[in-house]
Amino acid sequence: MKVETTTTPTNKPASLKKLMRFARPYRMRFMWVIIFSIALSAFAAIRPYLMKETVDNYLMNKNLEGLLFYVMLMGIVLLFEVASQFYFVYWANWLGQDIVKDLREKLFGHINNFRMKFFDNEAVGKLVTRTVFDIESIARIFSQGLFMIISDMLKMIVILGIMFWMNWKLTLVVMIAMPFLVVATRIFQKKMKGAFIEVRAQVANLNTFVQERITGMKIVQLFNREDIEYEKFTKINKKHNDAWLKNILYNSIFFPIADIISSLTLGLVIWYGSFGIVQGDNLTTAGDLFAYTMFIPMLFNPLRQIADKFNEMQMGIVASDRIFELLDLEEAVQLSGSKEAWHFKGELDFNNVRFSYLEGEEVIKGISLSIKSGQTIAIVGSTGAGKSTIINLLNRFYEIDSGTITIDGTNINEFKLESLRRQIAIVLQDVFLFADTIVNNITLNNPAITKDDVIAAAKAIGVHNFIMSLPGGYDYNVKERGVMLSSGQRQLIAFLRAYVSNPSILILDEATSSIDTYSEELIRTATEKITEGRTSIVIAHRLATIVNADKIIVMDKGKIVESGTHYELINRAEGYYKNLYYSQFVAESAEEE
């Protein structure tokens, strides 16, 4: 498992600016959110003023008619405030969800185009965290962060303006406490910034660990690793818990302090105002005191909430930094050519191809190889010889260090990746199936391939009866990774998937190893049918399956050491293939005995 380290966001304004680009298609909705925010601030500030007027002019004078009118007026203002609050929250959340929907689609599409080298070095759990959890954090920038801060700031400005207009002395008393709350808010914000970064890092680590262990649960149980993995999980979970506890601690300290400051300020205003009324101060009225008991929470709560909303903003900024870090990885994106690859004749040429997964450690060392159209060639060799790497290079999963690979005389780098891979089908030893029906796993939801096409192809290569023997036939759900099927049955599905795509070039990568006798017979029939009339490359572990290949390429330590037909190689004195073949033959004979 690759453990993610804690990093600090580099540039908050830059991240927000990038996010705002995703808001451009929703300009009108953005404007309505601002309008409702302004309306909410205005209606919220009017209510205390109406309370002052009610107390001073009608309650103190016992004017029931005027009192009833102002009570109704306050009710109407309250209804408008509630309506503004509803539309503000609804539209802000709607806007945030649409923005993250677009961002998630862009991120997933971007990841889809990364080179295989990127996935070799990145943990799956980390990418899941980025695509799901981090993007949800970004949604809160709009729903709980940015717009809420704008709304609270507007509300504070309007309220302060009305307060100074109503009674500047009482307002100055209120302002005495404001710096203390601002300082406390700033300290809280800085502490929470570091806490949120740590939380996101630990969430990614936790997701990565859990994803890997659930995926590899068979290995965990097979080797009795349950207790060991549980201990590892508890340690990672403890770090995750500690990160959140730090977050909780800061909240537990700040919000009581903010409440104390607000309560003390309210008490000071009531004392000062009441003292002024008793002393005959004409600037202060009973209505002012009623209004200020409403104004102070409305002024302090937004400031207190702004700190909380800054936390949401901070978490969203941390998440957006991580998201844009992936989106900015242009060097990880596979380069695509401009030519459309139509049906190939299938002539392949490898000219002095060199490749290394790690710089300075070549695994393919100057290979030159020619394959004629329609030929079936086999590539054999010991583990680590470079057999599968050749296939990865042909499909451009990795870019070669030097040399050229051509198909029908054209460098594969000149073809559009999608069209190139459309003409090459691969059947791997480890077949991956999605949690879906058999027909969807074969077509991969390609609308150009119908169910009738799949059935016709299954009959052609002899696997129709096998599929129909399953509950539901072609609509049978194989569950995650095809666990409802045996390895041989998954291989048959992979053969059908390759055949129905009608490729120009077919690759079988250890596709006949580790299967039962019944499946082997079906696969042998399918292989004969699927390789008919097209260029085929077979990477074989069991040498008995490739004796009829047009040419056998023998590899060792990244080089071609022999090539020829089975009979040419088997008759070569002290040949590498001959030794490999007979050692395997003897081993299989011993197993049968």
Side-chain angles (χ1 to χ4, degrees), residues 9 11-12 15-16 19 137-138 141 312-322:
N11 194 331
K12 183 187 294 187
S15 295
L16 280 175
L19 279 176
S137 296
I138 292 175
I141 289 180
E312 298 290 349
M313 282 280 290
Q314 191 61 60
M315 183 172 279
I317 292 298
V318 170
S320 64
D321 281 342
R322 300 179 189 276

Side-chain angles (χ1 to χ4, degrees), residues 18-19 22 26 96-110 130-131 134-135 138-139 142 319-320 323-324 327:
K18 290 178 180 179
L19 279 176
F22 288 88
Y26 309 104
Q97 287 300 320
D98 276 352
I99 289 173
V100 298
K101 173 182 69 70
D102 296 343
L103 185 58
R104 185 181 287 116
E105 290 174 357
K106 183 177 179 62
L107 177 63
F108 186 75
H110 194 62
R130 297 289 172 271
T131 310
D134 281 347
I135 286 190
I138 292 175
F142 299 95
S320 64
I323 295 300
F324 288 117
L327 288 175

Side-chain angles (χ1 to χ4, degrees), residues 338-399:
S338 58
K339 290 185 178 180
E340 191 73 29
W342 302 108
H343 190 76
F344 291 137
K345 293 179 182 178
E347 293 184 359
L348 302 177
D349 281 290
F350 289 73
N351 183 27
N352 196 28
V353 173
R354 294 182 178 274
F355 171 74
S356 54
Y357 291 104
L358 299 175
E359 188 175 351
E361 299 180 17
E362 282 190 342
V363 293
I364 299 296
K365 304 173 182 178
I367 283 180
S368 294
L369 170 65
S370 293
I371 304 172
K372 295 180 181 178
S373 175
Q375 273 191 330
T376 296
I377 73 156
I379 303 177
V380 301
S382 59
T383 301
K387 305 184 298 295
S388 295
T389 300
I390 288 181
I391 306 309
N392 289 333
L393 297 180
L394 180 61
N395 282 277
R396 290 194 60 201
F397 289 139
Y398 300 90
E399 302 294 334

Side-chain angles (χ1 to χ4, degrees), residues 216-370:
M217 187 56 68
K218 183 180 292 185
I219 300 298
V220 171
Q221 295 184 357
L222 186 64
F223 288 91
N224 299 314
R225 299 269 306 175
E226 293 93 336
D227 292 340
I228 295 173
E229 296 302 332
Y230 178 77
E231 289 178 7
K232 287 184 177 180
F233 175 80
T234 56
K235 290 179 181 178
I236 294 174
N237 194 41
K238 179 67 166 55
K239 291 181 179 179
H240 176 261
N241 185 59
D242 290 344
W244 271 112
L245 285 177
K246 189 182 295 184
N247 183 307
I248 294 169
L249 175 63
Y250 294 146
N251 279 281
S252 301
I253 294 173
F254 172 74
F255 289 111
I257 290 175
D259 288 338
I260 290 171
I261 293 174
S262 177
S263 298
L264 289 175
T265 304
L266 181 58
L268 184 62
V269 166
I270 292 175
W271 174 81
Y272 182 78
S274 300
F275 183 80
I277 293 174
V278 172
Q279 293 295 320
D281 183 1
N282 294 327
L283 291 177
T284 304
T285 67
D288 288 335
L289 295 183
F290 272 94
Y292 271 70
T293 59
M294 297 176 66
F295 273 135
I296 290 173
M298 292 173 66
L299 183 65
F300 278 55
N301 283 344
L303 185 59
R304 172 175 173 258
Q305 291 169 5
I306 282 175
D308 196 31
K309 299 304 181 270
F310 265 116
N311 294 341
E312 298 290 349
M313 282 280 290
Q314 191 61 60
M315 183 172 279
I317 292 298
V318 170
S320 64
D321 281 342
R322 300 179 189 276
I323 295 300
F324 288 117
E325 181 182 342
L326 283 177
L327 288 175
D328 291 341
L329 282 177
E330 294 298 334
E331 67 273 11
V333 176
Q334 299 176 98
L335 301 176
S336 185
S338 58
K339 290 185 178 180
E340 191 73 29
W342 302 108
H343 190 76
F344 291 137
K345 293 179 182 178
E347 293 184 359
L348 302 177
D349 281 290
F350 289 73
N351 183 27
N352 196 28
V353 173
R354 294 182 178 274
F355 171 74
S356 54
Y357 291 104
L358 299 175
E359 188 175 351
E361 299 180 17
E362 282 190 342
V363 293
I364 299 296
K365 304 173 182 178
I367 283 180
S368 294
L369 170 65
S370 293

